[in-house]
Amino acid sequence: MKILSVADYVVKDLLEAAGGGPAIDDIELILSCGDLPPEYLSALRHRYDVPLLYVLGNHDLRYGASPPLGCLHIDRKIVDVGTTRILGFSGSRWYNGNINQYSEEQMAGFVKKLRFALWRGRGVDLVVTHAPPRFIHDAEDRCHRGFRIFRHFIDKYNPRYFIHGHIHTLFASDEERITRVNSTFVVNCYGYHVLQI
């Protein structure tokens, strides 16, 4: 499966390919890691005509009144796309009390509520979050610290991929955005990245 993942920054080239064709061929699924306008997700969904799953970032304030058309919000849900099981978690660490911000304890509680579903389904293949795991791609300011529970999740459930946004970094190559933790590939999807599963 060829997956387009997006986060934090609108890449107009993904919508405006020469000749009117898709900017990237053979995309089968789009995953959004947050902090993008809902109109952008609607446009991506229309452009590629494939399922689009998303989580919310700490700046996604308009989704309640104007959700992206034809897209599926997967916060704290496990979704099957073909044979791939996908789980999402919205939000960042709490830093100023706005929406989609959570303490470490709150996020750990969200994960705990999914334990039975994770056990029954034998884990998941791919996790979509806005914030990164703590000490993997994150920063030290309150807003950009990752969640420790995400690192515990990786250690316990070993998803094949753990993709996130939130950390704005320009990469010289795709290899720079990927860190392997045990058997899991943690990917910063800032802007966009293409996964082949």
Side-chain angles (χ1 to χ4, degrees):
M1 179 185 298
K2 192 173 183 181
I3 301 173
L4 172 63
S5 57
V6 294
D8 301 289
Y9 178 75
V10 172
V11 180
K12 292 182 180 177
D13 287 349
L14 293 176
L15 299 172
E16 300 174 358
I24 300 171
D25 292 330
D26 303 322
I27 293 297
E28 298 170 74
L29 176 67
I30 302 171
L31 300 173
S32 172
C33 296
D35 279 358
L36 289 167
E39 299 83 6
Y40 179 58
L41 298 195
S42 298
L44 287 170
R45 169 71 177 86
H46 177 74
R47 177 68 162 167
Y48 293 91
D49 193 26
V50 297
L52 191 153
L53 313 180
Y54 70 93
V55 296
L56 298 174
N58 53 303
H59 296 299
D60 289 330
L61 308 177
R62 296 186 298 117
Y63 277 65
S66 179
L69 300 175
C71 304
L72 180 63
H73 184 209
I74 61 166
D75 181 37
R76 294 175 250 166
K77 297 175 185 168
I78 298 173
V79 176
D80 293 322
V81 178
T83 60
T84 303
R85 292 176 56 77
I86 300 170
L87 170 62
F89 291 104
S90 292
S92 71
R93 288 285 291 263
W94 187 96
Y95 63 98
N96 70 5
N98 217 332
I99 67 168
N100 303 323
Q101 297 177 20
Y102 305 103
S103 68
E104 183 70 47
E105 293 74 22
Q106 286 175 303
M107 190 60 74
F110 299 153
V111 172
K112 185 177 180 181
K113 287 181 180 176
L114 289 164
R115 280 190 308 187
F116 179 71
L118 288 163
W119 171 79
R120 185 180 60 199
R122 299 183 183 200
V124 292
D125 302 300
L126 196 153
V127 180
V128 181
T129 68
H130 182 59
R134 185 68 173 123
F135 302 121
I136 305 169
H137 303 167
D138 66 346
E140 290 306 311
D141 61 291
R142 281 199 310 172
C143 174
H144 294 100
R145 286 181 194 149
F147 286 104
R148 292 178 189 273
I149 190 62
F150 290 166
R151 177 57 197 265
H152 294 311
F153 187 102
I154 290 169
D155 290 339
K156 182 171 184 175
Y157 296 106
N158 298 302
R160 185 164 179 195
Y161 290 95
F162 188 109
I163 70 170
H164 68 86
H166 194 47
I167 306 301
H168 297 206
T169 304
L170 297 176
F171 301 99
S173 68
D174 281 344
E175 290 75 26
E176 291 181 6
R177 66 172 71 233
I178 302 169
T179 299
R180 185 169 180 170
V181 180
N182 305 327
S183 60
T184 300
F185 294 97
V186 180
V187 184
N188 181 342
C189 295
Y190 175 73
Y192 79 96
H193 178 67
V194 176
L195 296 172
Q196 186 79 50
I197 295 181

